[in-house]
């Protein structure tokens, strides 16, 4: 992550004696810099999305007409003209690009080819359950990763091997497959959870686990590495020498250091969870963006798919920004510039 | 190994611990994981090259008298809704699945190596520009970028390869760039330039081979990942057309029957997981060996 490097560079020049005054302007400058960077990445992401759309082989108006009628035929100029006018395909590429970026600045993601509704409305209708699933999964993944690290890291060979073995396997499991296994075992055979479309709390458990277990494996691997390094530090020995219990040493001292690398990954994790949610929603027949997205992709509804992709890129950028800014709070060494 | 371990964990007698430790050591010496991984991979390779050696059944022969049968001695993986033998379908699907994975990995690696070398060997401006580009592509999760590709180009094996290849490239590109920078700053490159070797010669003789060596492992690990991504796409119904017995297509075809015939989903999934795990295990072993060789 370049973000962490930037923070170190911008705060390292603060002289400790004048730290109080300079760190305020330093912080403001840092936040401004990060904000500008985030806007830049978003703009570039929008540009990439636009040009992927623009390279579409063949005529977009024909694609839309054929979608409406369910046939694949060549269209005459007279048929194509009104569609071209409506979606602005007659304009130059540059004009279309300006229109697209301009629309984005006030939350207009275009009109769905298939459903003929604004993409923003379609997303807003469906985003709720997906957001709930994503956030639940993130919390659950952190809980699993932390418990696993505290319980197994550096606790003798066999226990450590079991813990890290679980993490390796979990991190490599494809979400669809884990979802199917959970569905078959816990919903179909044991009947503990609804088989499909459960919208209540009981319907949330299996999809959230489907997303959380692989992520927990990943976060756990990163945290464990750091945790084991920290446990060898002198301040840990000194805490133990003061008579602190092993559990306290682990939770109060070591954990605080060990979670840092994994926290920087949370922005990435949110993006990954969002795309994982598409799979989980399909396995468990849950309402949400996933169903919309897969339907739109197979119907080749470009504005809808790129709208969702832009939304997720936005979530990623904002989450990374927050993580960068929050880093100073979790790790005061960076804020004071005295490392 | 661990210096700050509690003296005695509750419930564990010293004697039983010693026995367990000895058993653990014996098990480790056999390297069961590695052996298993090598055998699994060998089996899968045979299935890809000569599927008829492993099954005499046809993957497409329909038997309406034996639809949706659970795994048994006769059909070890069960049958699908048309009575086709799932074992034969998995075996015959291996080649195309591997080809999709290989294609995606090859594409991803070529993009990563070009960008990584360009960034690592050029000046600050090009390096900065490529880094920014990678940062932007990172904002798109692999699966969503792949979905966007499928939407624009339509679902096919080629789209699958391109989508997965482009989606996974940025991570590898950063890795290659790091390697190039590390090798470029090393003593032997400095020595070569002090000896008056030309820059292209240094790149060809020193930087390229040394930066490429660790990538052998990365390619192995990447192959498992590519197949998992490609199959995720196929699972969503956006892969190769259903009649083909490709692993991902089998997943897609079985999705509608999961409540009645779990094996149609579980078995192809297990095959993909087994392949990915086997490749990862061997890749990590190679990595350890390579690092050990470098330290010596």
């Amino acid at each position: 992550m370049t973000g962490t490097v930037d923070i170190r560079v911008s705060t390292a020049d603060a002289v400790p004696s004048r730290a109080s005054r300079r760190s305020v302007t330093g912080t403001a400058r840092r936040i401004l810099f990060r904000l500008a960077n985030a806007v830049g990445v978003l703009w570039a992401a929008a540009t990439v999305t636009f040009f992927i759309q623009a390279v579409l082989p063949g005529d977009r108006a024909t694609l839309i007409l054929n979608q409406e009628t369910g046939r694949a035929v060549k269209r005459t100029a007279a048929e194509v003209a009104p569609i071209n006018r409506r979606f602005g395909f007659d304009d130059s590429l540059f004009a279309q690009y300006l229109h697209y970026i301009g629309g984005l600045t006030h939350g207009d993601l275009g009109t769905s080819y298939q459903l003929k509704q604004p993409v923003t409305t379609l997303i807003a209708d469906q985003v709720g359950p997906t957001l709930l699933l994503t956030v639940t999964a993130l919390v659950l993944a952190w809980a699993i990763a932390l418990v696993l690290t505290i319980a197994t890291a550096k606790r003798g060979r066999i226990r450590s091997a079991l813990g890290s073995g679980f993490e390796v396997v979990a991190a490599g499991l494809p979400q669809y497959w884990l979802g199917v296994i959970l569905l078959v075992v816990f919903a179909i055979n044991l009947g503990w959870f609804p088989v499909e479309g459960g919208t209540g709390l009981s319907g949330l458990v299996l999809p959230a686990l489907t997303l959380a277990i692989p992520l927990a494996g990943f976060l756990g691997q990163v945290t464990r590495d750091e945790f084991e390094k920290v446990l060898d530090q002198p301040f840990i020995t000194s805490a133990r020498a003061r008579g602190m219990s092993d559990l306290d040493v682990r939770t109060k001292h070591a954990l605080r250091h060990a979670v840092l690398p994994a926290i920087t990954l949370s922005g990435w994790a949110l993006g990954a969870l969002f795309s994982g949610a598409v799979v989980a929603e399909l396995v468990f027949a849950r309402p949400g963006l996933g169903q919309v997205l897969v339907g739109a992709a197979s119907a080749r509804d470009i504005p809808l798919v790129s709208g969702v992709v832009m939304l997720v890129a936005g979530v990623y950028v904002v989450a990374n920004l927050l993580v960068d800014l929050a880093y100073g709070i979790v790790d005061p060494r960076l804020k004071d510039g005295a490392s | 190994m661990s210096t700050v371990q509690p003296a005695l964990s509750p419930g564990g007698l010293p004697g039983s611990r010693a026995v367990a430790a000895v058993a653990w050591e014996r098990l480790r010496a056999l390297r069961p994981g590695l052996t298993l991984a090598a055998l699994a991979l060998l089996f899968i390779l045979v299935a890809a090259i000569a599927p008829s050696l492993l099954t005499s059944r046809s993957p497409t022969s329909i038997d309406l008298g034996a639809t949706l049968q659970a795994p048994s001695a006769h059909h070890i993986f069960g049958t699908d809704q048309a009575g086709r033998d799932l074992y034969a379908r998995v075996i015959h699907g291996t080649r195309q699945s591997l080809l999709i994975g290989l294609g995606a990995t090859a594409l991803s690696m070529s993009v990563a190596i070009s960008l990584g070398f360009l960034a690592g060997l050029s000046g600050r401006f090009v390096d900065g520009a490529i880094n920014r580009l990678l940062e932007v592509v990172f904002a798109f999760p692999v699966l969503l970028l792949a979905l966007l590709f499928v939407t624009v180009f339509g679902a096919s094996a080629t789209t699958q390869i391109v989508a997965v290849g482009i989606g996974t490239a940025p991570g590898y590109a950063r890795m290659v760039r790091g390697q190039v920078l590390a090798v470029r700053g090393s003593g032997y490159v400095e020595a070569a330039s002090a000896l008056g070797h030309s820059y292209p010669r240094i790149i060809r003789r020193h930087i390229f081979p040394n930066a490429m060596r660790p990538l052998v492992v990365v390619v192995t690990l990447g192959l498992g990942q590519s197949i998992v991504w490609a199959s995720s796409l196929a699972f969503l119904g956006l892969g190769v057309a259903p009649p083909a017995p490709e692993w991902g297509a089998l997943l897609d075809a079985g999705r509608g029957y999961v409540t009645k015939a779990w094996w149609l989903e579980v078995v192809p999934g297990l095959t993909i997981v087994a392949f990915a795990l086997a490749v990862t295990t061997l890749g990590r072993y190679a990595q350890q060996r390579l690092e050990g060789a470098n330290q010596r």
Side-chain angles (χ1 to χ4, degrees), chain A residues 7-16 19 23 328 331-339:
Chain A
I7 294 171
R8 289 207 180 98
V9 170
S10 63
T11 52
D13 59 348
V15 185
S23 74
D331 192 351
R333 285 175 301 185
L334 295 176
K335 199 165 61 187
D336 304 339
S339 50

Side-chain angles (χ1 to χ4, degrees), chain A residues 1-2 6 37 41 44-45 48-49 52-53 55-57 154-161 168-169 172-174 176-177 180-181 183-184 188 195 221 231-232 237 240 246 271-272 275-276 278-279 282-283 293-294 296-298 300-302 305-306 308-310 312-313 316-317, chain B residues 1-6 9 17 20-21 24-25 28 131-133 135-145 147-155 174 225 227-229 231-233 235-238 251 255 258-260 262 265-270 272-273 276-277 280 284:
Chain A
M1 298 278 130
T2 51
D6 290 341
N37 194 42
V41 170
V48 170
T49 316
I52 292 180
Q53 295 180 45
V55 297
L56 171 73
K154 282 224 163 186
R155 294 242 201 212
R157 270 191 181 178
I158 296 175
R159 235 210 274 192
S160 298
V168 171
V169 174
L173 282 182
Y176 59 80
W177 194 65
V180 166
I181 296 284
L183 181 76
V184 168
I188 297 174
V195 172
Q221 280 176 315
L231 279 183
D232 285 338
T237 317
R240 289 190 197 280
D246 183 55
S275 55
V278 176
V279 174
L282 214 69
V283 173
L293 195 59
V294 172
S298 49
R300 306 189 63 190
D301 190 344
I302 300 170
V305 174
S306 50
V308 177
V309 170
M310 267 317 290
V312 176
Y316 169 88
V317 168
Chain B
M1 188 174 117
S2 55
T3 49
V4 282
Q5 200 192 323
S9 64
R17 284 201 114 186
W24 180 247
E25 274 311 313
R28 274 169 69 92
N131 261 330
R132 277 295 136 96
L133 177 75
E135 198 181 333
V136 171
V137 183
F138 261 120
F140 302 109
V142 179
L143 193 61
L144 285 190
L145 197 63
L147 270 175
L148 188 58
F149 267 88
V150 172
T151 312
V152 174
F153 297 105
R174 279 199 176 174
Q225 271 304 304
I227 288 196
V228 169
W229 281 125
S231 63
S232 300
L233 212 52
F235 176 79
L236 297 176
L238 304 168
L251 284 170
R255 210 173 64 223
V258 72
T259 48
K260 281 176 280 178
W262 53 265
E265 284 296 89
V266 173
V267 170
L270 191 65
I272 293 164
V273 172
L277 267 179
T280 310
R284 290 197 176 199

Side-chain angles (χ1 to χ4, degrees), chain A residues 252-292:
Chain A
K252 290 188 182 147
H253 285 295
L255 201 60
R256 192 159 174 194
H257 292 257
V259 293
L260 287 178
I263 283 183
T264 51
L265 289 173
S266 281
W268 165 85
L270 261 183
L273 280 177
F274 235 95
S275 55
V278 176
V279 174
E281 283 173 0
L282 214 69
V283 173
F284 294 96
R286 254 179 82 83
L289 270 187
Q291 304 275 357
V292 176

